[in-house]
Amino acid sequence: MEFDVEQGTAILTRTPSVMREMLSGLPPAWTDATEGPDTWSPYTVVGHLIHGEETDWIPRAQIIIAQGADRRFTPYDRFAQFRESEGKSLQELLDEFARLRTDNLAILRGWRLDDDQLALQGEHPALGVVTLRQLLATWVAHDLGHIVQVARVMARQYRVAIGPWHAYLSVMNP
Amino acid sequence: MEFDVEQGTAILTRTPSVMREMLSGLPPAWTDATEGPDTWSPYTVVGHLIHGEETDWIPRAQIIIAQGADRRFTPYDRFAQFRESEGKSLQELLDEFARLRTDNLAILRGWRLDDDQLALQGEHPALGVVTLRQLLATWVAHDLGHIVQVARVMARQYRVAIGPWHAYLSVMNP
C-alpha cells in the first residue's frame, strides 16, 4: 500500500482515542506492566508518543518542507518520556497526547501536500536521505506499532494464568 | 499476574470500543488488508470475535459451572466467520460484537464467581483439563492478541512505504 495523506490521516486521527479506550481508567496492574527489565509499560508508551508529537514528526516535516541548506533532523530521544512524564497521571498523558495530535494534524492538513512536496527530502541522522512521504508513512506505522506493543504487554501479563492455552496464543511468544 | 475477575473484566469491557475506535469508518484499504494468503484482515478478526462470544467463552464457562457428567467442550471453529460474516458490513459486525459482549459480561457478573468456582474444571478437546480461571484469563488474552493482530496487519501495509525506517520498526518483522 502506498502512503496517501487521506488514508494515513485516518489512522493518525484515531490513535489518541484508541489509546484512551485501551487504557483510561484501567488499574495500574495493567498500565504499569512491562515485558521485563528495560521494556516499556503502556504508561511509558503514551509518554513516548507525546515526545514524538513535540519533537519528531511535524518538526522533521517542517525541516523537509523548508528545504533550507541544512536538512538534517535533530536526533530523536527515545528515552525522554522517563524524564518528561514524571509526576503526571496516565490520564493527563492521554489528554496531552490527544491535544498535541489534534494540533499537529491541523498543521499537516494546512499544508495541503501534493506529490511533489511528498517527494521532498531530508536527512535522517542515522538512516540518511528520506522523503517526506516516508516520514509521514512512518508516523502512521509507528502509531500502529505502539498499539501492538501496548496490547502485547498487557496480554503477556497472563502468560502463566492461561495455563495450557499458551500453546494457541501466539501473542505470548517472542 | 494472576487472573482476577475484576481486572480481567476491565479489559473485556473495553475491547468492543477499542475495535470500534480502531476500525469504524476506516477505508477498506485498511480494514480488508491482510498479511498475505491465508492470513486475516481486521474485518475477519471482528467476525472471529463474534463467533467466540456465541460459542466459546461463556458457553464453555457454563459447561464448567454446571459440572455435569460430560465436561468436554465442543471444538471451536476458527473459520466460522468466513461463513457467518458474509454480506455484513464491518459496522454491523462491530455493533454485533459489542452487543454480544455486553450480554456475556452480564452473565459473567451474575455468577459472582468465587475462588472455589474459578478452580472448577472442564475438558478442552485438545488441551485436556483446564480450569474456569484459565478459560477466563484466556478470554482476556485472546482479546488483546487480536488487538495486536489488527494493529500489526495495518502497520505492515506500510512495510515498503516507510523506506529506510524499516530498520527501526520491529512491527514490520515477523
Side-chain angles (χ1 to χ4, degrees):
Chain A
M1 191 165 152
E2 288 215 12
F3 174 78
D4 169 277
V5 175
E6 203 63 44
Q7 283 180 350
T9 306
I11 300 290
L12 293 170
T13 307
R14 282 166 168 80
T15 306
S17 44
V18 171
M19 285 290 173
R20 197 184 305 252
E21 284 301 329
M22 289 181 83
L23 301 174
S24 184
L26 266 195
W30 290 116
T31 58
D32 290 338
T34 68
E35 293 169 282
D38 298 325
T39 66
W40 293 3
S41 68
Y43 176 89
T44 305
V45 169
V46 180
H48 168 72
L49 291 170
I50 287 172
H51 194 65
E53 294 305 301
E54 291 171 332
T55 69
D56 191 334
W57 315 106
I58 287 291
R60 288 179 170 189
Q62 280 163 331
I63 290 173
I64 295 179
I65 288 171
Q67 290 288 296
D70 182 8
R71 300 167 195 174
R72 199 180 166 93
F73 307 152
T74 309
Y76 179 77
D77 181 357
R78 286 186 62 249
F79 301 99
Q81 66 276 6
F82 292 106
R83 198 173 58 242
E84 295 180 356
S85 297
E86 230 176 306
K88 294 181 185 163
S89 71
L90 177 58
Q91 196 55 52
E92 287 172 291
L93 296 182
L94 289 166
D95 292 346
E96 191 177 347
F97 175 46
R99 202 167 46 242
L100 291 166
R101 175 58 58 91
T102 300
D103 293 349
N104 282 334
L105 288 178
I107 294 172
L108 178 67
R109 268 190 297 273
W111 286 333
R112 302 175 179 279
L113 297 170
D114 59 27
D115 279 351
D116 287 347
Q117 285 169 300
L118 287 168
L120 292 174
Q121 297 177 337
E123 189 192 339
H124 186 282
L127 300 171
V129 172
V130 292
T131 65
L132 179 56
R133 186 186 291 278
Q134 288 167 339
L135 174 71
L136 297 176
T138 305
W139 191 8
V140 174
H142 179 267
D143 269 20
L144 292 167
H146 284 296
I147 294 171
V148 165
Q149 181 182 24
V150 164
R152 188 190 65 222
V153 169
M154 296 200 292
R156 288 183 176 176
Q157 304 314 307
Y158 276 175
R159 186 190 288 272
V160 175
I162 65 174
W165 267 286
H166 189 274
Y168 285 4
L169 266 66
S170 61
V171 69
M172 296 300 168
N173 306 313
Chain B
M1 189 165 152
E2 288 214 12
F3 175 78
D4 168 277
V5 175
E6 203 64 42
Q7 283 180 349
T9 306
I11 300 289
L12 293 170
T13 307
R14 282 165 169 80
T15 305
S17 43
V18 172
M19 285 290 174
R20 198 184 305 252
E21 284 301 329
M22 288 182 82
L23 300 175
S24 185
L26 266 195
W30 291 115
T31 59
D32 290 340
T34 69
E35 293 169 282
D38 297 326
T39 66
W40 293 4
S41 68
Y43 176 89
T44 305
V45 169
V46 180
H48 168 74
L49 291 170
I50 287 172
H51 194 65
E53 295 305 301
E54 290 172 333
T55 69
D56 190 335
W57 314 106
I58 287 291
R60 287 179 171 190
Q62 281 163 332
I63 290 172
I64 295 178
I65 288 172
Q67 288 290 297
D70 183 7
R71 300 167 196 174
R72 198 179 166 93
F73 307 151
T74 309
Y76 179 77
D77 182 356
R78 287 185 62 250
F79 300 98
Q81 66 276 7
F82 292 105
R83 196 174 59 242
E84 296 180 357
S85 296
E86 230 175 307
K88 295 180 185 165
S89 70
L90 177 58
Q91 195 55 53
E92 286 174 292
L93 297 182
L94 289 167
D95 291 347
E96 191 176 347
F97 175 46
R99 202 167 47 243
L100 291 165
R101 175 59 58 92
T102 301
D103 294 349
N104 282 334
L105 289 179
I107 295 173
L108 178 67
R109 268 191 297 274
W111 286 333
R112 301 173 179 281
L113 297 171
D114 60 26
D115 279 352
D116 287 348
Q117 286 169 300
L118 288 169
L120 292 173
Q121 296 178 337
E123 190 191 339
H124 186 283
L127 300 172
V129 172
V130 292
T131 65
L132 179 55
R133 188 186 289 278
Q134 288 168 339
L135 174 70
L136 297 177
T138 305
W139 190 9
V140 175
H142 178 267
D143 268 20
L144 292 167
H146 284 296
I147 294 171
V148 165
Q149 181 182 24
V150 164
R152 188 190 66 222
V153 169
M154 296 200 291
R156 289 184 174 174
Q157 304 313 307
Y158 276 174
R159 186 190 288 275
V160 175
I162 63 174
W165 268 286
H166 189 274
Y168 286 3
L169 267 65
S170 61
V171 70
M172 296 299 168
N173 307 313

